[in-house]
Amino acid sequence: MIGFSRLAFCAFAFLVAIIGAAAAGELPAPTGKVVLKVGGAISNTNAPGEALFDIEGLEALGIVGMRTSTPWTKGVHLFEGVRLSALLKAVGAQGEALRGIALNDYSAQLPIADSVASAALVAYRLDGKRMSIRDKGPLWIVFPYDTDSRLVTDEFLNRSIWQLKEIVVE
Amino acid sequence: MPYRSSRMGVTRLSALAIVVLAVAVAAAVLAVSIYLQLERDLSKPRENLQWAVYQLQAEHLRVMLSAHMGIEGEIDVEELDQAYQIFASRVVILVEGGVFAPLRALPGYSALLDDFTAAISEIDASLSSTEPTASAYADRLLETLPSFSDRLQSVAMGIVADSSAEQTARQVEMLETMAWLVGTLVLIVGASLMLGGVTVKQLAALEASRRHLAAALDRAEESSRAKGRFLAGMSHEMRTPLNAVIGLLREIGYRTRADSIRELVSTADASAQMLSGLIDDVIDTTRIETGKFQLTEERFDPRTLIEEVARVLASAASDRRDRIVLETGELGSLGVVSDRTRLKQVLINLVGKAIKFTHGGTITISARIEQTGGARGRLMVAVADTGIGIDRDKVDSIFKRFFQAEIGGGLGLGLTISQDIVERLGGRISVESELGDGSTFTFEIPVDLVEAVPVPTPAMFGFEERPLAGVRVLVAEDNSTNRLVIEFMLRRAGADFAFAHDGGDAVARAIDGEFDIVLMDINMPVLDGLGARDEIERRMGDAMPPMIALTADALSEDVERFLAAGMRACVTKPIDERELIQRMRQVLGETPSFLSRLGAASDAPSAEAPPVDEGILNDAQRGALLDLVADLDAQAPGDDFDESRVQRVSGSAR
């Protein structure tokens, strides 16, 4: 757990360092298909009150790989995406929690501190390929379930939102 | 009986305690297992199966609704595809997800999922070939999907029923476990209560028996004290008549002309002396027990002390053909400070014992002084005999009270008293012995060392025929036998004397007559000795004659009290004639009024004394007097006293 936290912290620090400039100013507007909309208490936007991301926009925040199994899939898979912490930093999130909303309007609340400390990843690639809706894409909030038994309790499983389309910072 | 029942109680108590412990352990195991079970349940990744089926059902309805909307043109193909893809992903999750394994195990559900998967494959295949319009897409979906509605509903209902049954079963199981737990707890509480009850009862019984024991101990101690008091009282009472017997026996010895009678009297006197010694031992023991045993320090010459002891026991030794050898060469010329009287008692005890258990052998008394620094030193004395010795396994208990009584000689108090005296003087006493090879008693005591003590010259009156000639003595003594004994002593010493029968009488006579000295008994009717002294002093002032206290209480604190009250000296009963006369002469020698009267008379008392009264002392009696002096020296009959038996005493008064 300590190792895990430290890893998360190092990653967090690294990301803060490389995207520091972006965090301070305006976000680039998306050019491709918008896959994620971030709203609520954020300071960096590229649309009225919202930060919109296409896949390239998310990739620009840094690509992180994570190999883990999940309760909903067979075997171990390689997830690639952006750290939730990097994403929140990029949009200048100023809240305590965030609400994740799926394509089918399922929503769940995630406490920011706990989720960031657990190295939550907003994944967009599974085993090197973009995730289709059928593959629980295009975005999926995943945790490193194999590293900590706490992450496979109902609490975290409910936070593992697949087919994610929107995040509201509260 | 209480003891027996309490023993049974202990057994019952232990059994009960073991039961309680076992039940408590069982309860703890049960509680821990429940906790672990709950924790496992909590941490296990599990999706709510009902929720999963509901989601599938919802996505199924949603995709069908979307299809209808697609036919109506309300949504485009992209939105319709999304709804379908979401539904399809739901099916994939249920087919692949580890957490849904229990769901797949349910009858009917597995087949349903298979059919869904097959249907989705068919739809995918038929749609992938073309770019369908929304309505064509919708038609294709509605062709297959609605047929699942009823099955999905029935499976969902089945799962609800199953989960509720499962939940009920779990609750029942938990209830049963809890019932066990509660039962166990009730058992623990009950057993603990019983345990507590039994313990309280036991404590009460214990307390009762403790009180019982304490009371018994009190009674035993009181009984022991009463016996001690009785013994001491009786011994005191015995001393007075014994004193008279000894005095009168000696008088008979003086008066008789028949050697045979004198011999009988000597033996009787020795026996009486022995009896007196035994009584003293009993009184000493009582004093040791009651803590009244006190020590009085004085300066003395240890060599003289040892020679004195040898002389006292010389005749007893000769009776058993024993030789007493003194080795006091290492003593040097130093005097010591200690309790001379008590040390003499110890020496007489040890040498007396040695003589008693030696026949035709040698008793060696050796002594030396070891300087330990400054004016401190150790006086070490060893009394070795060549007698029967002591069994090795009895050596340790030889100083125990009544030990000697066990081996058949005396009361067995002497060594106990000796040990007590030596220890009170800060020293140690020990014995080395082999059966048949004699014994050596050794003691050492710490002493203060002083310059050589001048040896008093016992010759002061030794052979003087009338050491108190011309001295006027008033004797206040209420006991007629004692008066008789003192009368004989004073008459032999050539004193003039008068008697007073009580304290009041003593005051009257002291004032009326002219006396050089008063012998004052302490315990007298009307007015006791100290009261009489005070009264005489009040009436006569400086003209009061010096007084010597006569008392049966030989406790040193009493002696000090008498001296503090103005008595010039104290003589304890039974009265030793030699001691009495020595004390009287000593006191008179320090009395200016007597000395001046003596001076005025122009001659020594003996010279001035009236001629010997033939009726009182004839030649034969004078011979007897000489014998008596020897007897007094030896404290035992000593007709055949042989100078050669006592070594190194040639310088003494004899």
Side-chain angles (χ1 to χ4, degrees), chain A residues 33 70-74 103-106 132-136 149 152-154 157-158 162-163 165, chain B residues 43-47 59 62 78 82 84-86 88-90 92-93 96-100 120 124:
Chain A
K33 190 184 173 198
T70 80
W72 307 278
T73 51
K74 263 185 199 162
L103 290 174
N104 66 348
D105 296 328
Y106 168 86
S132 66
I133 293 177
R134 192 175 293 192
D135 296 328
K136 298 171 269 292
S149 66
V152 284
T153 58
D154 284 353
L157 298 189
N158 288 338
W162 58 72
Q163 291 156 356
K165 65 170 181 186
Chain B
S43 62
K44 202 159 66 178
R46 70 193 154 86
E47 283 267 3
E59 299 302 346
R62 197 172 284 160
E78 199 174 327
Q82 178 176 317
Y84 171 65
Q85 292 301 335
I86 290 174
S89 79
R90 203 74 226 175
V92 172
I93 287 169
E96 292 184 352
V99 284
F100 299 115
I120 289 168
D124 287 351

Side-chain angles (χ1 to χ4, degrees), chain B residues 261-339:
Chain B
I261 289 180
R262 197 155 65 231
E263 208 164 300
L264 286 176
V265 167
S266 294
T267 310
D269 181 62
S271 303
Q273 290 285 353
M274 199 183 292
L275 183 56
S276 177
L278 289 175
I279 288 171
D280 284 348
D281 277 358
V282 171
I283 291 173
D284 275 352
T285 307
T286 314
R287 280 183 188 145
I288 288 169
E289 273 180 358
T290 55
K292 279 186 182 170
F293 199 84
Q294 295 217 350
L295 300 166
T296 316
E297 295 204 324
E298 62 183 299
R299 299 155 63 111
F300 63 92
D301 175 27
R303 187 195 311 267
T304 316
L305 172 66
I306 290 167
E307 286 167 353
E308 215 172 289
V309 170
R311 209 159 47 237
V312 165
L313 293 170
S315 70
S318 74
D319 282 352
R320 299 182 65 83
R321 293 188 288 105
D322 290 333
R323 224 162 54 94
I324 296 179
V325 179
L326 303 186
E327 290 175 357
T328 54
E330 286 181 60
L331 273 176
S333 60
L334 284 174
V336 300
V337 177
S338 190
D339 190 320

Side-chain angles (χ1 to χ4, degrees), chain B residues 574-594:
Chain B
I575 294 169
D576 182 274
E577 185 169 350
R578 177 184 164 129
E579 184 193 355
L580 175 68
I581 288 164
Q582 195 170 359
R583 291 269 188 233
M584 286 175 72
R585 282 180 63 104
Q586 188 186 341
V587 169
L588 287 169
E590 294 163 358
T591 307
S593 59
F594 172 75

Side-chain angles (χ1 to χ4, degrees), chain A residues 71-153:
Chain A
W72 307 278
T73 51
K74 263 185 199 162
V76 175
H77 300 277
L78 171 65
F79 291 92
E80 284 170 281
V82 57
R83 283 262 185 250
L84 183 63
S85 53
L87 178 63
L88 294 175
K89 185 80 186 173
V91 298
Q94 283 154 358
E96 301 268 298
L98 52 85
R99 176 163 296 281
I101 302 167
L103 290 174
N104 66 348
D105 296 328
Y106 168 86
S107 76
Q109 204 185 39
L110 289 79
I112 289 176
D114 200 16
S115 302
V116 166
S118 306
L121 187 73
V122 180
Y124 42 76
R125 273 203 291 269
L126 176 64
D127 294 330
K129 289 189 290 182
R130 291 279 310 280
M131 289 184 282
S132 66
I133 293 177
R134 192 175 293 192
D135 296 328
K136 298 171 269 292
L139 299 176
W140 185 0
I141 298 179
V142 286
F143 295 87
Y145 306 101
D146 296 341
T147 61
D148 187 351
S149 66
R150 199 171 69 95
L151 298 176
V152 284
T153 58

Side-chain angles (χ1 to χ4, degrees), chain A residues 28-87:
Chain A
T31 52
K33 190 184 173 198
V34 171
V35 289
L36 181 66
K37 185 168 80 178
V38 182
I42 59 172
S43 53
N44 302 337
T45 58
N46 53 14
E50 287 176 341
L52 303 176
F53 294 93
D54 54 11
I55 287 295
E56 288 72 26
L58 289 175
E59 282 177 341
L61 298 179
I63 303 169
V64 174
M66 181 173 80
R67 197 173 287 278
T68 184
S69 65
T70 80
W72 307 278
T73 51
K74 263 185 199 162
V76 175
H77 300 277
L78 171 65
F79 291 92
E80 284 170 281
V82 57
R83 283 262 185 250
L84 183 63
S85 53
L87 178 63

